[in-house]
Amino acid sequence: MRFMLLMIPKGYEIAAPGTVPDDADRIAAMMKYNESMQQAGILLACDGLHPPSMGARVSFPGGKPVVTDGPFAEAKEVLGGYWMIQVASRQEAIDWARRCPATETETIEIRQVQEMEDFPDAVQDTIASFADMQLQGKR
């Protein structure tokens, strides 16, 4: 099963453009955590994200795309980064999240990735080419 562990750091929703972590000890602790997942063979990907002040959102009122540049006034929680892991169960994903050297101002949301076999047969037929699209993107 694939899971995303989504890091939600308080205060990041108002971070200035270009803000990056600058605490070497915290970064070292996080790198040690990342390496432990890599050594366990479960880490598929991980990245930090620039703050929302550098982002954009595309909404579709009336079916037409409207672009809003960040920061986003209504944002209560934003993503600061993620890990994509492959583990045997939801509980194992939770166990890995619990090992993260996060601070009291950070939350990790755990979300299982939808796999092809999760969908009904009729939907699987419709999205059958999706797996090929994903493979092409990895080349």
PDB file of all heavy atoms in Angstrom, residues 101-123:
ATOM      1  N   PRO A 101      10.845  13.370  13.524  1.00  0.00           N
ATOM      2  CA  PRO A 101      11.314  14.332  14.531  1.00  0.00           C
ATOM      3  C   PRO A 101      10.611  15.691  14.392  1.00  0.00           C
ATOM      4  O   PRO A 101      11.249  16.737  14.335  1.00  0.00           O
ATOM      5  CB  PRO A 101      12.811  14.432  14.224  1.00  0.00           C
ATOM      6  CG  PRO A 101      12.899  14.219  12.762  1.00  0.00           C
ATOM      7  CD  PRO A 101      11.835  13.192  12.454  1.00  0.00           C
ATOM      8  N   ALA A 102       9.300  15.669  14.337  1.00  0.00           N
ATOM      9  CA  ALA A 102       8.508  16.889  14.178  1.00  0.00           C
ATOM     10  C   ALA A 102       8.453  17.665  15.492  1.00  0.00           C
ATOM     11  O   ALA A 102       8.693  17.116  16.574  1.00  0.00           O
ATOM     12  CB  ALA A 102       7.102  16.546  13.708  1.00  0.00           C
ATOM     13  N   THR A 103       8.105  18.939  15.381  1.00  0.00           N
ATOM     14  CA  THR A 103       7.951  19.784  16.560  1.00  0.00           C
ATOM     15  C   THR A 103       6.480  19.888  16.930  1.00  0.00           C
ATOM     16  O   THR A 103       5.599  19.424  16.196  1.00  0.00           O
ATOM     17  CB  THR A 103       8.497  21.202  16.299  1.00  0.00           C
ATOM     18  OG1 THR A 103       7.655  21.844  15.333  1.00  0.00           O
ATOM     19  CG2 THR A 103       9.932  21.163  15.802  1.00  0.00           C
ATOM     20  N   GLU A 104       6.214  20.546  18.036  1.00  0.00           N
ATOM     21  CA  GLU A 104       4.824  20.696  18.488  1.00  0.00           C
ATOM     22  C   GLU A 104       3.995  21.575  17.552  1.00  0.00           C
ATOM     23  O   GLU A 104       2.767  21.589  17.649  1.00  0.00           O
ATOM     24  CB  GLU A 104       4.784  21.251  19.906  1.00  0.00           C
ATOM     25  CG  GLU A 104       5.369  22.641  20.047  1.00  0.00           C
ATOM     26  CD  GLU A 104       5.450  23.085  21.492  1.00  0.00           C
ATOM     27  OE1 GLU A 104       5.477  22.238  22.394  1.00  0.00           O
ATOM     28  OE2 GLU A 104       5.472  24.303  21.705  1.00  0.00           O
ATOM     29  N   THR A 105       4.628  22.287  16.633  1.00  0.00           N
ATOM     30  CA  THR A 105       3.890  23.134  15.694  1.00  0.00           C
ATOM     31  C   THR A 105       3.634  22.435  14.363  1.00  0.00           C
ATOM     32  O   THR A 105       3.155  23.056  13.421  1.00  0.00           O
ATOM     33  CB  THR A 105       4.647  24.449  15.425  1.00  0.00           C
ATOM     34  OG1 THR A 105       5.901  24.138  14.808  1.00  0.00           O
ATOM     35  CG2 THR A 105       4.856  25.240  16.704  1.00  0.00           C
ATOM     36  N   GLU A 106       3.957  21.151  14.287  1.00  0.00           N
ATOM     37  CA  GLU A 106       3.796  20.403  13.036  1.00  0.00           C
ATOM     38  C   GLU A 106       2.846  19.231  13.224  1.00  0.00           C
ATOM     39  O   GLU A 106       2.800  18.614  14.286  1.00  0.00           O
ATOM     40  CB  GLU A 106       5.159  19.899  12.543  1.00  0.00           C
ATOM     41  CG  GLU A 106       6.116  21.026  12.203  1.00  0.00           C
ATOM     42  CD  GLU A 106       7.538  20.571  12.002  1.00  0.00           C
ATOM     43  OE1 GLU A 106       8.019  19.719  12.788  1.00  0.00           O
ATOM     44  OE2 GLU A 106       8.167  21.070  11.068  1.00  0.00           O
ATOM     45  N   THR A 107       2.110  18.942  12.177  1.00  0.00           N
ATOM     46  CA  THR A 107       1.189  17.820  12.154  1.00  0.00           C
ATOM     47  C   THR A 107       1.480  17.021  10.891  1.00  0.00           C
ATOM     48  O   THR A 107       1.785  17.604   9.848  1.00  0.00           O
ATOM     49  CB  THR A 107      -0.275  18.320  12.102  1.00  0.00           C
ATOM     50  OG1 THR A 107      -0.535  19.095  13.267  1.00  0.00           O
ATOM     51  CG2 THR A 107      -1.268  17.175  12.008  1.00  0.00           C
ATOM     52  N   ILE A 108       1.373  15.709  10.974  1.00  0.00           N
ATOM     53  CA  ILE A 108       1.504  14.873   9.785  1.00  0.00           C
ATOM     54  C   ILE A 108       0.152  14.223   9.521  1.00  0.00           C
ATOM     55  O   ILE A 108      -0.390  13.524  10.376  1.00  0.00           O
ATOM     56  CB  ILE A 108       2.584  13.794   9.957  1.00  0.00           C
ATOM     57  CG1 ILE A 108       3.949  14.451  10.120  1.00  0.00           C
ATOM     58  CG2 ILE A 108       2.577  12.844   8.751  1.00  0.00           C
ATOM     59  CD1 ILE A 108       5.071  13.481  10.381  1.00  0.00           C
ATOM     60  N   GLU A 109      -0.377  14.478   8.340  1.00  0.00           N
ATOM     61  CA  GLU A 109      -1.614  13.828   7.902  1.00  0.00           C
ATOM     62  C   GLU A 109      -1.222  12.627   7.053  1.00  0.00           C
ATOM     63  O   GLU A 109      -0.343  12.719   6.204  1.00  0.00           O
ATOM     64  CB  GLU A 109      -2.455  14.798   7.076  1.00  0.00           C
ATOM     65  CG  GLU A 109      -3.767  14.212   6.624  1.00  0.00           C
ATOM     66  CD  GLU A 109      -4.654  15.223   5.924  1.00  0.00           C
ATOM     67  OE1 GLU A 109      -4.561  16.428   6.224  1.00  0.00           O
ATOM     68  OE2 GLU A 109      -5.445  14.799   5.062  1.00  0.00           O
ATOM     69  N   ILE A 110      -1.875  11.496   7.291  1.00  0.00           N
ATOM     70  CA  ILE A 110      -1.568  10.257   6.593  1.00  0.00           C
ATOM     71  C   ILE A 110      -2.731   9.932   5.669  1.00  0.00           C
ATOM     72  O   ILE A 110      -3.874   9.824   6.131  1.00  0.00           O
ATOM     73  CB  ILE A 110      -1.339   9.111   7.599  1.00  0.00           C
ATOM     74  CG1 ILE A 110      -0.193   9.479   8.537  1.00  0.00           C
ATOM     75  CG2 ILE A 110      -1.092   7.790   6.880  1.00  0.00           C
ATOM     76  CD1 ILE A 110      -0.125   8.646   9.782  1.00  0.00           C
ATOM     77  N   ARG A 111      -2.422   9.785   4.379  1.00  0.00           N
ATOM     78  CA  ARG A 111      -3.472   9.499   3.404  1.00  0.00           C
ATOM     79  C   ARG A 111      -3.040   8.349   2.506  1.00  0.00           C
ATOM     80  O   ARG A 111      -1.947   8.383   1.937  1.00  0.00           O
ATOM     81  CB  ARG A 111      -3.732  10.736   2.532  1.00  0.00           C
ATOM     82  CG  ARG A 111      -4.102  11.998   3.296  1.00  0.00           C
ATOM     83  CD  ARG A 111      -5.556  12.035   3.694  1.00  0.00           C
ATOM     84  NE  ARG A 111      -6.425  12.004   2.545  1.00  0.00           N
ATOM     85  CZ  ARG A 111      -6.758  13.076   1.819  1.00  0.00           C
ATOM     86  NH1 ARG A 111      -6.303  14.269   2.131  1.00  0.00           N
ATOM     87  NH2 ARG A 111      -7.554  12.953   0.781  1.00  0.00           N
ATOM     88  N   GLN A 112      -3.886   7.344   2.384  1.00  0.00           N
ATOM     89  CA  GLN A 112      -3.589   6.217   1.497  1.00  0.00           C
ATOM     90  C   GLN A 112      -3.837   6.639   0.055  1.00  0.00           C
ATOM     91  O   GLN A 112      -4.805   7.341  -0.251  1.00  0.00           O
ATOM     92  CB  GLN A 112      -4.462   5.005   1.836  1.00  0.00           C
ATOM     93  CG  GLN A 112      -4.084   3.780   1.034  1.00  0.00           C
ATOM     94  CD  GLN A 112      -4.837   2.533   1.469  1.00  0.00           C
ATOM     95  OE1 GLN A 112      -5.566   2.539   2.458  1.00  0.00           O
ATOM     96  NE2 GLN A 112      -4.653   1.456   0.728  1.00  0.00           N
ATOM     97  N   VAL A 113      -2.940   6.219  -0.826  1.00  0.00           N
ATOM     98  CA  VAL A 113      -3.064   6.505  -2.252  1.00  0.00           C
ATOM     99  C   VAL A 113      -4.060   5.522  -2.855  1.00  0.00           C
ATOM    100  O   VAL A 113      -4.033   4.325  -2.547  1.00  0.00           O
ATOM    101  CB  VAL A 113      -1.695   6.368  -2.953  1.00  0.00           C
ATOM    102  CG1 VAL A 113      -1.820   6.554  -4.457  1.00  0.00           C
ATOM    103  CG2 VAL A 113      -0.708   7.376  -2.364  1.00  0.00           C
ATOM    104  N   GLN A 114      -4.941   6.010  -3.708  1.00  0.00           N
ATOM    105  CA  GLN A 114      -5.898   5.127  -4.376  1.00  0.00           C
ATOM    106  C   GLN A 114      -5.165   4.308  -5.429  1.00  0.00           C
ATOM    107  O   GLN A 114      -4.470   4.850  -6.284  1.00  0.00           O
ATOM    108  CB  GLN A 114      -7.015   5.939  -5.039  1.00  0.00           C
ATOM    109  CG  GLN A 114      -7.889   6.647  -4.042  1.00  0.00           C
ATOM    110  CD  GLN A 114      -8.908   7.550  -4.703  1.00  0.00           C
ATOM    111  OE1 GLN A 114      -8.689   8.073  -5.789  1.00  0.00           O
ATOM    112  NE2 GLN A 114     -10.029   7.735  -4.035  1.00  0.00           N
ATOM    113  N   GLU A 115      -5.330   3.012  -5.337  1.00  0.00           N
ATOM    114  CA  GLU A 115      -4.715   2.095  -6.297  1.00  0.00           C
ATOM    115  C   GLU A 115      -5.769   1.656  -7.304  1.00  0.00           C
ATOM    116  O   GLU A 115      -6.966   1.729  -7.039  1.00  0.00           O
ATOM    117  CB  GLU A 115      -4.133   0.877  -5.566  1.00  0.00           C
ATOM    118  CG  GLU A 115      -3.140   1.204  -4.459  1.00  0.00           C
ATOM    119  CD  GLU A 115      -1.810   1.776  -4.944  1.00  0.00           C
ATOM    120  OE1 GLU A 115      -1.570   1.859  -6.168  1.00  0.00           O
ATOM    121  OE2 GLU A 115      -0.998   2.138  -4.075  1.00  0.00           O
ATOM    122  N   MET A 116      -5.322   1.190  -8.457  1.00  0.00           N
ATOM    123  CA  MET A 116      -6.230   0.780  -9.528  1.00  0.00           C
ATOM    124  C   MET A 116      -7.279  -0.210  -9.022  1.00  0.00           C
ATOM    125  O   MET A 116      -8.459  -0.084  -9.324  1.00  0.00           O
ATOM    126  CB  MET A 116      -5.419   0.159 -10.670  1.00  0.00           C
ATOM    127  CG  MET A 116      -6.255  -0.219 -11.861  1.00  0.00           C
ATOM    128  SD  MET A 116      -6.855   1.188 -12.802  1.00  0.00           S
ATOM    129  CE  MET A 116      -5.403   1.543 -13.751  1.00  0.00           C
ATOM    130  N   GLU A 117      -6.846  -1.164  -8.197  1.00  0.00           N
ATOM    131  CA  GLU A 117      -7.777  -2.205  -7.741  1.00  0.00           C
ATOM    132  C   GLU A 117      -8.829  -1.684  -6.752  1.00  0.00           C
ATOM    133  O   GLU A 117      -9.787  -2.383  -6.447  1.00  0.00           O
ATOM    134  CB  GLU A 117      -7.026  -3.394  -7.141  1.00  0.00           C
ATOM    135  CG  GLU A 117      -6.115  -3.057  -5.993  1.00  0.00           C
ATOM    136  CD  GLU A 117      -4.689  -2.667  -6.415  1.00  0.00           C
ATOM    137  OE1 GLU A 117      -4.407  -2.489  -7.607  1.00  0.00           O
ATOM    138  OE2 GLU A 117      -3.868  -2.511  -5.512  1.00  0.00           O
ATOM    139  N   ASP A 118      -8.687  -0.450  -6.293  1.00  0.00           N
ATOM    140  CA  ASP A 118      -9.686   0.144  -5.401  1.00  0.00           C
ATOM    141  C   ASP A 118     -10.951   0.540  -6.160  1.00  0.00           C
ATOM    142  O   ASP A 118     -12.007   0.716  -5.555  1.00  0.00           O
ATOM    143  CB  ASP A 118      -9.126   1.395  -4.707  1.00  0.00           C
ATOM    144  CG  ASP A 118      -7.984   1.073  -3.756  1.00  0.00           C
ATOM    145  OD1 ASP A 118      -7.938  -0.058  -3.232  1.00  0.00           O
ATOM    146  OD2 ASP A 118      -7.144   1.963  -3.537  1.00  0.00           O
ATOM    147  N   PHE A 119     -10.853   0.694  -7.481  1.00  0.00           N
ATOM    148  CA  PHE A 119     -11.965   1.183  -8.292  1.00  0.00           C
ATOM    149  C   PHE A 119     -12.803   0.039  -8.838  1.00  0.00           C
ATOM    150  O   PHE A 119     -12.289  -1.061  -9.073  1.00  0.00           O
ATOM    151  CB  PHE A 119     -11.428   2.008  -9.470  1.00  0.00           C
ATOM    152  CG  PHE A 119     -10.769   3.287  -9.044  1.00  0.00           C
ATOM    153  CD1 PHE A 119      -9.397   3.348  -8.854  1.00  0.00           C
ATOM    154  CD2 PHE A 119     -11.523   4.437  -8.833  1.00  0.00           C
ATOM    155  CE1 PHE A 119      -8.788   4.522  -8.463  1.00  0.00           C
ATOM    156  CE2 PHE A 119     -10.910   5.616  -8.442  1.00  0.00           C
ATOM    157  CZ  PHE A 119      -9.549   5.661  -8.254  1.00  0.00           C
ATOM    158  N   PRO A 120     -14.107   0.289  -9.090  1.00  0.00           N
ATOM    159  CA  PRO A 120     -14.959  -0.721  -9.727  1.00  0.00           C
ATOM    160  C   PRO A 120     -14.430  -1.043 -11.140  1.00  0.00           C
ATOM    161  O   PRO A 120     -13.735  -0.231 -11.750  1.00  0.00           O
ATOM    162  CB  PRO A 120     -16.335  -0.060  -9.817  1.00  0.00           C
ATOM    163  CG  PRO A 120     -16.252   1.168  -8.998  1.00  0.00           C
ATOM    164  CD  PRO A 120     -14.828   1.516  -8.782  1.00  0.00           C
ATOM    165  N   ASP A 121     -14.780  -2.206 -11.658  1.00  0.00           N
ATOM    166  CA  ASP A 121     -14.292  -2.651 -12.967  1.00  0.00           C
ATOM    167  C   ASP A 121     -14.547  -1.633 -14.069  1.00  0.00           C
ATOM    168  O   ASP A 121     -13.668  -1.378 -14.897  1.00  0.00           O
ATOM    169  CB  ASP A 121     -14.922  -3.994 -13.348  1.00  0.00           C
ATOM    170  CG  ASP A 121     -14.401  -5.135 -12.478  1.00  0.00           C
ATOM    171  OD1 ASP A 121     -13.329  -4.970 -11.861  1.00  0.00           O
ATOM    172  OD2 ASP A 121     -15.069  -6.181 -12.426  1.00  0.00           O
ATOM    173  N   ALA A 122     -15.751  -1.037 -14.083  1.00  0.00           N
ATOM    174  CA  ALA A 122     -16.076  -0.077 -15.145  1.00  0.00           C
ATOM    175  C   ALA A 122     -15.129   1.128 -15.104  1.00  0.00           C
ATOM    176  O   ALA A 122     -14.702   1.639 -16.146  1.00  0.00           O
ATOM    177  CB  ALA A 122     -17.521   0.393 -15.020  1.00  0.00           C
ATOM    178  N   VAL A 123     -14.781   1.567 -13.914  1.00  0.00           N
ATOM    179  CA  VAL A 123     -13.863   2.697 -13.775  1.00  0.00           C
ATOM    180  C   VAL A 123     -12.451   2.265 -14.158  1.00  0.00           C
ATOM    181  O   VAL A 123     -11.716   3.002 -14.815  1.00  0.00           O
ATOM    182  CB  VAL A 123     -13.904   3.267 -12.341  1.00  0.00           C
ATOM    183  CG1 VAL A 123     -12.858   4.351 -12.151  1.00  0.00           C
ATOM    184  CG2 VAL A 123     -15.297   3.805 -12.029  1.00  0.00           C
TER     185      VAL A 123
END
